[in-house]
Amino acid sequence: MLKYILAIPLIMHGLANLAGVIAPWTASLNGFQDAVWLFGHGVKYRSLAGRASGILWLLSTLMLCGAGIGLLIGQTWWAALAIIGAAFSLLVIFLWWKAVPPGARFGAFFDALLLVALTSPLREQIIASLR
């Protein structure tokens, strides 16, 4: 039962990251702002940098969804995939903090919580409880 409590949010968070892939390429930003990124005043979300960061969004989507599916089917690699996907997601949210919608900030909290849990000394106990 516990694995569903984590697997479903993993997959949902991964799918939510698709908005970051699509937004800089479309006419409607769908909650995103065409704001500047963290390191400069001239680079906005609809710039080449924003579109290139969509690759990180896409990778995090694939990894988080893959981790959720891996957890559901009992694979051992799901945790490593979740760590990498959460790190990518957290990085891209941090880079575009001024541009992301409020829901992405909640996603950053989820990513941070996931990273802390899966890299802590209690990692093996947490993973064992999800089998």
Side-chain angles (χ1 to χ4, degrees):
M1 179 64 173
L2 283 177
K3 71 179 177 181
Y4 295 103
I5 294 173
L6 179 58
I8 292 170
L10 270 171
I11 294 168
M12 289 174 59
H13 181 51
L15 292 173
N17 283 348
L18 282 174
V21 177
I22 297 166
W25 295 93
T26 62
S28 172
L29 285 170
N30 298 321
F32 284 78
Q33 304 294 318
D34 195 23
V36 297
W37 73 330
L38 188 66
F39 299 118
H41 299 292
V43 179
K44 292 193 171 193
Y45 194 63
R46 281 198 168 141
S47 67
L48 181 59
R51 291 177 176 158
S53 69
I55 295 169
L56 287 177
W57 285 105
L58 181 60
L59 289 173
S60 69
T61 293
L62 296 172
M63 289 183 204
L64 292 170
C65 289
I69 293 167
L71 175 58
L72 287 175
I73 62 174
Q75 297 298 311
T76 57
W77 44 259
W78 75 267
L81 204 58
I83 290 168
I84 298 167
F88 282 175
S89 177
L90 191 58
L91 173 66
V92 78
I93 291 169
F94 179 69
L95 286 174
W96 294 102
W97 191 258
K98 297 174 188 175
V100 297
R105 294 185 176 109
F106 176 75
F109 176 74
F110 178 77
D111 291 329
L113 187 63
L114 193 61
L115 287 169
V116 167
L118 294 178
T119 60
S120 77
L122 299 174
R123 170 191 162 109
E124 294 306 318
Q125 292 173 337
I126 292 168
I127 292 172
S129 70
L130 295 169
R131 290 190 183 131

